[in-house]
Amino acid sequence: AQKVTQAQTEISVVEKEDVTLDCVYETRDTTYYLFWYKQPPSGELVFLIRRNSFDEQNEISGRYSWNFQKSTSSFNFTITASQVVDSAVYFCALSDSSGAGSYQLTFGKGTKLSVIP
Amino acid sequence: NAGVTQTPKFRVLKTGQSMTLLCAQDMNHEYMYWYRQDPGMGLRLIHYSVGEGTTAKGEVPDGYNVSRLKKQNFLLGLESAAPSQTSVYFCASWRPPGEQFFGPGTRLTVL
């Protein structure tokens, strides 16, 4: 069975600080996908990144970066120079084939990030 | 492209009433999903579909039924609503390995 753990329930940082959101996953599959989504106070889910299990290259997109390490089953997300607009709940999610090609998506419980001006 | 749309956006039901939530996507995706989001629980999968005419149970399927008669639509039904089904419901569609697209959500309250 697949599982995603986001151990940090809530994080508060002062604007311009860097912050890292942790994500640890469990899966028996060798082929799987990892995602990060942002849910701002308005409630919609905003896609941030998808990474497949064969691509361990870290990625940077502006102030966002992601560190994927298969050896520790982690897919951590770092925001550099945080801004108030980054305040949201962030979800890490995992999808694997589950043996039937269903690609069920399992979400972590989310980390609520508050950026204080 | 409208992406993924959900109808209605808000609904209040009394215990025992029934209703259907409609999800529609215009991206020709095979996979569609229904999730519920409760405080502190993240999103949990209710039912999903890997193609027209097929459905399967997710993590929390009890009290819900689904149908996928057309590829672009995925319906979620509550036959006899209970207060425990008060939640925000999200629909999503996907063609792996791309992005999974989510609808805007439906906020359901069962009194």
Side-chain angles (χ1 to χ4, degrees), chain B residues 19-23 34-35 46-47 64-67 74-78 89:
Chain B
M19 77 163 294
T20 300
L21 281 65
L22 170 64
C23 175
W34 275 108
Y35 298 90
I46 305 171
H47 286 279
Y64 305 95
N65 56 75
V66 288
S67 64
F74 194 29
L75 279 64
L76 178 71
L78 287 72
Y89 292 85

Side-chain angles (χ1 to χ4, degrees), chain A residues 27-54:
Chain A
T27 178
R28 295 177 186 169
D29 277 13
T30 56
T31 300
Y32 52 89
Y33 300 96
L34 294 163
F35 301 80
W36 275 95
Y37 284 88
K38 174 182 180 180
Q39 188 175 43
S42 51
E44 74 272 23
L45 285 157
V46 178
F47 169 81
L48 295 177
I49 190 172
R50 172 188 55 83
R51 173 68 73 231
N52 73 52
S53 53
F54 297 109

Side-chain angles (χ1 to χ4, degrees), chain A residues 50-103:
Chain A
R50 172 188 55 83
R51 173 68 73 231
N52 73 52
S53 53
F54 297 109
D55 182 3
E56 286 194 73
Q57 198 170 12
N58 291 330
E59 182 154 340
I60 299 174
S61 176
R63 296 184 297 107
Y64 296 170
S65 62
W66 291 269
N67 179 256
F68 176 32
Q69 292 196 341
K70 288 178 76 171
S71 60
T72 56
S73 297
S74 64
F75 187 42
N76 297 337
F77 172 35
T78 297
I79 301 175
T80 302
S82 60
Q83 300 177 1
V84 173
V85 293
D86 296 326
S87 296
V89 180
Y90 292 85
F91 291 99
C92 180
L94 163 72
S95 177
D96 62 25
S97 65
S98 299
S102 64
Y103 294 103

Side-chain angles (χ1 to χ4, degrees), chain B residues 27-59:
Chain B
M27 296 169 284
N28 203 34
H29 287 170
E30 293 292 337
Y31 294 79
M32 295 188 75
Y33 307 83
W34 275 108
Y35 298 90
R36 61 177 288 171
Q37 184 179 23
D38 303 297
M41 298 296 294
L43 278 78
R44 293 181 293 170
L45 183 64
I46 305 171
H47 286 279
Y48 63 96
S49 169
V50 300
E52 181 179 321
T54 70
T55 63
K57 295 179 180 180
E59 179 186 355

